[in-house]
Amino acid sequence: MTTPEHPSPAPQPPVPETKDRIHRSPAGIAGGVLLLAVVLWLGLDAVIAGEGRTPWLALAAMLLVVPLVVAYTLRPAVFAGEDRLRVRNPLRVVVLPWGRVASLRSGYSNEVVADSGTKYQLWAVPVSLRARKKAARREARRTAGDGRPAAGRGGFGLTGQRTAAAGVADGPVRAETDKVMDELRSLLAARQQADTAQGEVTVRWAYEILAPAAAGAVLLAVLLGIG
């Protein structure tokens, strides 16, 4: 007598991985591209048209300057995931599980504070006092406009209702970097106690930036020293 075979359970579909939210500075990227274009233009012109030690000095200067320009303009980024915050600053990468983040501070710079008290600046989310003042003026105008009767209507007309509804839905006007910090704080509050958001804080130096910059500095110093 044969035992009936039970059908094997259907394989469960894999759980899709949530992608990190990436925050970068558009102004920093634009400035970095412009600086790189100027440096490469001047440096290559000196290499091609220069005489004597000029081409070597130009190469050494580019070897020093280009990695630093990339580091401080194009490289900075903040990767906000469900379990961790990865901060890619000019010269190092800091990975902080949400369980190890004590707070996110905004002053003259945006910072993340670990539970050990160590502060790490968020280079990719710079503070703009001008943008904050501009947002404050827009918020003041919006608030004043919410209670102002619509033109051509005797009272709180349709335009005023739409403005008030938009203000409630959108919330107060904020500078872009302040919106990013609000988003990070919301993610911290939601994920700080999660089991998968625990671990150790890791810091890795950006040797891919430091090594060529140091080589360029040494070569430039040698060339200037023997001149």
Side-chain angles (χ1 to χ4, degrees):
M1 188 172 179
T2 59
T3 304
E5 295 182 359
H6 296 282
S8 57
Q12 297 294 327
V15 179
E17 295 183 0
T18 56
K19 293 184 178 180
D20 293 350
R21 305 170 194 176
I22 305 175
H23 303 286
R24 307 184 73 177
S25 172
I29 294 174
V33 171
L34 181 61
L35 281 175
L36 283 177
V38 172
V39 170
L40 293 177
W41 173 46
L42 296 176
L44 292 177
D45 181 70
V47 170
I48 296 172
E51 299 178 355
R53 293 187 305 121
T54 301
W56 292 104
L57 288 171
L59 285 174
M62 285 194 295
L63 189 60
L64 170 63
V65 173
V66 169
L68 295 179
V69 171
V70 172
Y72 284 91
T73 59
L74 305 182
R75 175 181 169 83
V78 172
F79 302 85
E82 292 295 318
D83 298 326
R84 64 180 185 172
L85 179 70
R86 183 159 64 97
V87 181
R88 191 171 70 190
N89 280 342
L91 302 181
R92 58 183 179 176
V93 177
V94 184
V95 178
L96 303 101
W98 288 117
R100 299 297 302 274
V101 176
S103 63
L104 290 155
R105 297 180 183 176
S106 295
Y108 291 104
S109 64
N110 290 317
E111 300 173 337
V112 55
V113 183
D115 56 1
S116 62
T118 307
K119 302 176 184 178
Y120 303 99
Q121 185 174 348
L122 304 180
W123 279 80
V125 190
V127 169
S128 173
L129 298 180
R130 180 180 179 184
R132 282 182 177 175
K133 291 179 181 178
K134 183 178 179 180
R137 289 195 298 268
R138 290 178 57 191
E139 173 63 14
R141 288 197 297 267
R142 185 188 69 84
T143 304
D146 287 347
R148 188 180 303 161
R153 299 182 183 271
F156 198 74
L158 179 61
T159 304
Q161 292 174 1
R162 188 176 300 137
T163 304
V168 172
D170 297 338
V173 179
R174 301 271 284 163
E176 288 300 322
T177 54
D178 290 336
K179 292 180 182 178
V180 172
M181 293 301 290
D182 291 342
E183 179 183 332
L184 294 179
R185 292 189 184 100
S186 298
L187 196 54
L188 170 63
R191 299 294 300 169
Q192 190 172 30
Q193 303 301 326
D195 293 337
T196 55
Q198 310 303 316
E200 297 296 327
V201 177
T202 61
V203 179
R204 181 183 68 84
W205 289 97
Y207 294 106
E208 64 274 15
I209 297 293
L210 295 172
V218 171
L219 181 58
L220 188 61
V222 170
L223 291 173
L224 293 175
I226 64 177

